Amino acid sequence: MLDKRFAVVDLETTGNDPHKDKIIDLSIVFVEGNKIVGDYNHLISDADDIPSFVTELTSITLEDIKSGVKFSDIKDEVYELLANCCFVAHNIEFDLNFLKIAFKDVGINFKPNLAIDTVELSKIFFPTLNSYQLGALSKSLNLTLDHAHRAYDDAKATAELLIKIINEIQRLDRQTMIRLYSISKSLDTNVSELLFASLSENNHKDAPFLVKSLSLKEVKEQQQVKNHITIESLYENFLEMNQFKHRDDQIELIYTVYNSLKENKALALEAYTGLGKTDAILIASIVFSSETNQQVLISTSKKILQEEMYYRSLKRLLKASNLNKLPIAMLKGKSNYINLNTMLKLLEFKDDNYEIIILKMKLLVWLTSTKTGDLGEVSLKGPEKLYYDTAHYQISDYDQYFYNRAVNHANMSQICITNHYFMQECLTEMDSNYLIVDEAHQVLKAVNNQNETVYKYMDLKFLLSQIGVNNKDRILKDYLDHNHYEKKDYLISMLSQLNKTIDEAFTQLNHQNITLATTRFTHIVNLIDIVLSSILNTENYESLYNYLNHFKLKIHDIVKHLKNNEYRLNTDKNFQKTTLFVNNHSKELLYTELESLKGQLLISGTLEVNESFNHLDEWFNGEFENKIIKNDNLFDSVNLFIPNDVHDLNDREAYIIDLVDYISMYYSIRQEKTIVLFTNYKLLNDVYQFIIESELFDFPILKQNKNDSANKLLLQYNQLQNCLLLATESFTEGINFENLNDRTIFLTKLPFPVPTGEGFRHFYKEDLPDAVFMFRQILGRIKRNENDSGRIILFDNRLLNKPYKNAFLKYFEEENIIYDDRSAFNDMLTRL
């Protein structure tokens, strides 16, 4: 097939319906011998009208196509050009269906003998990319795409993409190619023919490094390197790399971090937002580690921030400073690394499900190039994640090849970066004596979350559903195919009892009848033991046995913690929404590890609350020093406006009308995009629904959903010229808004509940610090440097009359706090 001529086709059309809409732009770019060898292009004049959104997307007007040709005039020419070629398109279903119907309308039956889809191939052979849209691929792979959504430019970019894909195929080893070829036979497109053609050329070498029959990339361990570097020289490299100016307070911060490590201190350090904490931490750690040959473990709040710190900050800094050989590492928890036994189990799954086919193929390709085995590189989502987990639960031997390799690599490093959720695991696995906790205002919450295992009714029901009854993709079907069918009714009956007993157990939990709930969960364990004993040593029993045993271990964990009174409950009117939290004692393990450290530093832009660091006592378990590097003028160009003419949130409908009215006033005067932050999704969705139904705004309304990626939402927000974004306050953590020196954020409520009764002690220890940290994080999104300005519009006047007022309003100028009505709001905006 590689000696074939590939016809790479792209069409622009008046819409998405091939039966109603028309082709307006057609291009074919020809690839032969893995080179572009020609092209064919025409504007098509069959359309009587072009929708405005199509013209905006393609720049093609009705006037433009009048000079084009009718498809009927070029039908024979196009047919001849495509004949005997392999038909290629990016999202082939769209282009091929349009062409088939266009040909049918002129009396020609068009059906290519060979067809491949570059979207499908890109997912397989570029498995680590975040998006497979042509524009995103062009940026990632350096394809030529001057004018997206014009047929020739898109076809040429797709042709270049095809060439890169073929090059990727030809670099693979023979063992991987044979596996890919076998799996690809189940695809509707002709990928298998492409792979077979490449195999037939005998250019594929044997895999240089096999583990458990899987082809992997062999990685040599890094060696300790002695570097002589000073803070001043490294800081100058940092400034030159980023084209920043020297800042005395940033140098002060670097030396504070460096000295805390040198002097084995336990230090809580607050450094104001925008000072450049991450880079200061890295510079100080690199110099300290180089001088002392001691490893520094750095933790931040999220995996995405961990990766940004490692790739965008640390690696760039080392490269700019000619310190590329300095041993560095990034370490996560066990579950983040691919399990090779899980991969082998996944390969056993039948190849009659599209998601499974693509998942197996992309993982096989990825394994040949990944140095880490970190599943985050391939971003398994939706069905892919579910299928991987289903395979994982069916194995009994949890291979840790990649995790162990990551731990060994981390132990050889001088700087290792993790995040708060894996901190305890990292400290246990590593010999590091020095810990720096960045974004430290998040660490106590992360530790508390890690200290609990969450059990939800719907999650347990889903796990049980994967065993299945009649579905061909399920585990039970595979077991029954290898055993006598008299077992079928028995097993189905037992699964039915398990499902029923889970309902009963969660009903009792919801009524807080813990004794009865424990009895029902114990009954589930007993039922599973009966099933396990009945299938043990039968044909092909391992997958079903391991999966059920995994499920049993979860239920057994629930029973143990209910009996020991180590749990808490979130109940609901609907028992299916009940959530059980059980204590897994990871906090105690972490605090034990912390006691053995020689030096540790907690640092954040928001760490002190009400002029106190007392909320950190539990963390340090003894005396610790504290320091604040502050900027009294930090928020001198930020206004805080609190309306005094809005209804209370208890009058929900009137409150929503007031909120939307203020937003509408803002847009009528400023005509700039902004963000409205909520403390819960219920109010967010109610406001969104009101805005949509009222049709007040003629620009995009973006809405955060519970499972949305903050990065994807931020990308959309940054790309749009005008829009309204409705999000939760968590959206602002660690993100930066682009190209705006003046920003406005609406905040519906301070992020904590009103304290009552016994809640006061808990409030001042946990709720107030968390709320203050979040509030300052939001302010930090407005004020990133000395040139930034903006305003917070806060619909919560508690801030003005509660004892915790000063905790929130630290750094705020008195004259910048405005408590007034719509008229004053209008005046403030018009003066800007």
Side-chain angles (χ1 to χ4, degrees), residues 640-653:
L640 175 64
F641 186 93
I642 304 174
N644 66 4
D645 58 351
V646 298
H647 288 80
D648 188 88
L649 187 54
N650 292 325
D651 189 351
R652 197 177 191 82
E653 187 174 340

mmCIF file of all heavy atoms in Angstrom, residues 640-653:
data_model
loop_
_atom_site.group_PDB
_atom_site.id
_atom_site.type_symbol
_atom_site.label_atom_id
_atom_site.label_comp_id
_atom_site.label_asym_id
_atom_site.label_seq_id
_atom_site.Cartn_x
_atom_site.Cartn_y
_atom_site.Cartn_z
ATOM 1 N N LEU A 640 -12.500 47.033 45.455
ATOM 2 C CA LEU A 640 -13.460 46.043 45.941
ATOM 3 C C LEU A 640 -14.805 46.745 46.059
ATOM 4 O O LEU A 640 -14.971 47.645 46.886
ATOM 5 C CB LEU A 640 -13.022 45.484 47.296
ATOM 6 C CG LEU A 640 -14.008 44.521 47.974
ATOM 7 C CD1 LEU A 640 -14.197 43.258 47.146
ATOM 8 C CD2 LEU A 640 -13.520 44.162 49.375
ATOM 9 N N PHE A 641 -15.754 46.351 45.189
ATOM 10 C CA PHE A 641 -17.084 46.963 45.203
ATOM 11 C C PHE A 641 -18.088 45.953 45.759
ATOM 12 O O PHE A 641 -18.202 44.831 45.262
ATOM 13 C CB PHE A 641 -17.502 47.387 43.796
ATOM 14 C CG PHE A 641 -18.799 48.150 43.760
ATOM 15 C CD1 PHE A 641 -18.803 49.543 43.809
ATOM 16 C CD2 PHE A 641 -20.028 47.492 43.703
ATOM 17 C CE1 PHE A 641 -19.995 50.254 43.790
ATOM 18 C CE2 PHE A 641 -21.219 48.194 43.690
ATOM 19 C CZ PHE A 641 -21.209 49.577 43.735
ATOM 20 N N ILE A 642 -18.814 46.376 46.828
ATOM 21 C CA ILE A 642 -19.823 45.513 47.451
ATOM 22 C C ILE A 642 -21.181 46.204 47.322
ATOM 23 O O ILE A 642 -21.408 47.254 47.939
ATOM 24 C CB ILE A 642 -19.496 45.260 48.938
ATOM 25 C CG1 ILE A 642 -18.083 44.668 49.076
ATOM 26 C CG2 ILE A 642 -20.535 44.328 49.572
ATOM 27 C CD1 ILE A 642 -17.603 44.524 50.502
ATOM 28 N N PRO A 643 -22.086 45.669 46.504
ATOM 29 C CA PRO A 643 -23.392 46.316 46.329
ATOM 30 C C PRO A 643 -24.210 46.308 47.619
ATOM 31 O O PRO A 643 -24.224 45.316 48.354
ATOM 32 C CB PRO A 643 -24.071 45.449 45.254
ATOM 33 C CG PRO A 643 -22.967 44.707 44.585
ATOM 34 C CD PRO A 643 -21.930 44.490 45.640
ATOM 35 N N ASN A 644 -24.904 47.417 47.878
ATOM 36 C CA ASN A 644 -25.777 47.478 49.059
ATOM 37 C C ASN A 644 -27.254 47.434 48.684
ATOM 38 O O ASN A 644 -28.117 47.653 49.534
ATOM 39 C CB ASN A 644 -25.482 48.737 49.886
ATOM 40 C CG ASN A 644 -25.843 50.018 49.146
ATOM 41 O OD1 ASN A 644 -26.387 49.984 48.037
ATOM 42 N ND2 ASN A 644 -25.544 51.167 49.753
ATOM 43 N N ASP A 645 -27.545 47.154 47.407
ATOM 44 C CA ASP A 645 -28.940 47.175 46.951
ATOM 45 C C ASP A 645 -29.333 45.859 46.268
ATOM 46 O O ASP A 645 -30.053 45.841 45.272
ATOM 47 C CB ASP A 645 -29.167 48.349 45.992
ATOM 48 C CG ASP A 645 -28.247 48.318 44.779
ATOM 49 O OD1 ASP A 645 -27.306 47.487 44.754
ATOM 50 O OD2 ASP A 645 -28.466 49.111 43.844
ATOM 51 N N VAL A 646 -28.811 44.754 46.810
ATOM 52 C CA VAL A 646 -29.190 43.447 46.255
ATOM 53 C C VAL A 646 -29.943 42.650 47.309
ATOM 54 O O VAL A 646 -29.745 42.833 48.519
ATOM 55 C CB VAL A 646 -27.944 42.646 45.786
ATOM 56 C CG1 VAL A 646 -27.225 43.379 44.667
ATOM 57 C CG2 VAL A 646 -27.009 42.353 46.936
ATOM 58 N N HIS A 647 -30.812 41.767 46.845
ATOM 59 C CA HIS A 647 -31.576 40.913 47.755
ATOM 60 C C HIS A 647 -30.672 39.860 48.386
ATOM 61 O O HIS A 647 -29.632 39.490 47.834
ATOM 62 C CB HIS A 647 -32.714 40.227 46.997
ATOM 63 C CG HIS A 647 -33.826 41.156 46.632
ATOM 64 N ND1 HIS A 647 -33.756 42.004 45.542
ATOM 65 C CD2 HIS A 647 -35.039 41.363 47.212
ATOM 66 C CE1 HIS A 647 -34.876 42.698 45.449
ATOM 67 N NE2 HIS A 647 -35.671 42.340 46.464
ATOM 68 N N ASP A 648 -31.101 39.367 49.520
ATOM 69 C CA ASP A 648 -30.370 38.300 50.195
ATOM 70 C C ASP A 648 -30.436 37.024 49.355
ATOM 71 O O ASP A 648 -31.408 36.784 48.640
ATOM 72 C CB ASP A 648 -30.991 38.058 51.577
ATOM 73 C CG ASP A 648 -30.152 37.093 52.395
ATOM 74 O OD1 ASP A 648 -29.225 37.552 53.085
ATOM 75 O OD2 ASP A 648 -30.419 35.879 52.324
ATOM 76 N N LEU A 649 -29.411 36.195 49.477
ATOM 77 C CA LEU A 649 -29.355 34.960 48.705
ATOM 78 C C LEU A 649 -30.509 34.022 49.036
ATOM 79 O O LEU A 649 -30.879 33.164 48.219
ATOM 80 C CB LEU A 649 -28.007 34.256 48.951
ATOM 81 C CG LEU A 649 -27.682 33.026 48.099
ATOM 82 C CD1 LEU A 649 -27.803 33.341 46.611
ATOM 83 C CD2 LEU A 649 -26.288 32.512 48.416
ATOM 84 N N ASN A 650 -31.105 34.185 50.223
ATOM 85 C CA ASN A 650 -32.261 33.353 50.579
ATOM 86 C C ASN A 650 -33.449 33.623 49.661
ATOM 87 O O ASN A 650 -34.287 32.755 49.438
ATOM 88 C CB ASN A 650 -32.662 33.589 52.037
ATOM 89 C CG ASN A 650 -31.600 33.070 52.997
ATOM 90 O OD1 ASN A 650 -30.960 32.059 52.720
ATOM 91 N ND2 ASN A 650 -31.408 33.768 54.104
ATOM 92 N N ASP A 651 -33.531 34.852 49.135
ATOM 93 C CA ASP A 651 -34.541 35.174 48.123
ATOM 94 C C ASP A 651 -33.898 34.924 46.765
ATOM 95 O O ASP A 651 -33.506 35.846 46.051
ATOM 96 C CB ASP A 651 -34.971 36.638 48.264
ATOM 97 C CG ASP A 651 -36.178 36.978 47.394
ATOM 98 O OD1 ASP A 651 -36.574 36.121 46.558
ATOM 99 O OD2 ASP A 651 -36.700 38.091 47.534
ATOM 100 N N ARG A 652 -33.792 33.671 46.418
ATOM 101 C CA ARG A 652 -32.921 33.226 45.318
ATOM 102 C C ARG A 652 -33.246 33.900 43.985
ATOM 103 O O ARG A 652 -32.360 34.384 43.276
ATOM 104 C CB ARG A 652 -33.016 31.703 45.172
ATOM 105 C CG ARG A 652 -31.884 31.088 44.374
ATOM 106 C CD ARG A 652 -32.021 29.567 44.349
ATOM 107 N NE ARG A 652 -30.860 28.900 43.829
ATOM 108 C CZ ARG A 652 -29.770 28.617 44.516
ATOM 109 N NH1 ARG A 652 -29.705 28.965 45.791
ATOM 110 N NH2 ARG A 652 -28.743 27.998 43.972
ATOM 111 N N GLU A 653 -34.509 33.922 43.633
ATOM 112 C CA GLU A 653 -34.894 34.472 42.325
ATOM 113 C C GLU A 653 -34.538 35.955 42.222
ATOM 114 O O GLU A 653 -33.971 36.403 41.214
ATOM 115 C CB GLU A 653 -36.400 34.267 42.091
ATOM 116 C CG GLU A 653 -36.833 34.659 40.693
ATOM 117 C CD GLU A 653 -38.291 34.303 40.426
ATOM 118 O OE1 GLU A 653 -38.842 33.436 41.141
ATOM 119 O OE2 GLU A 653 -38.883 34.899 39.506
#
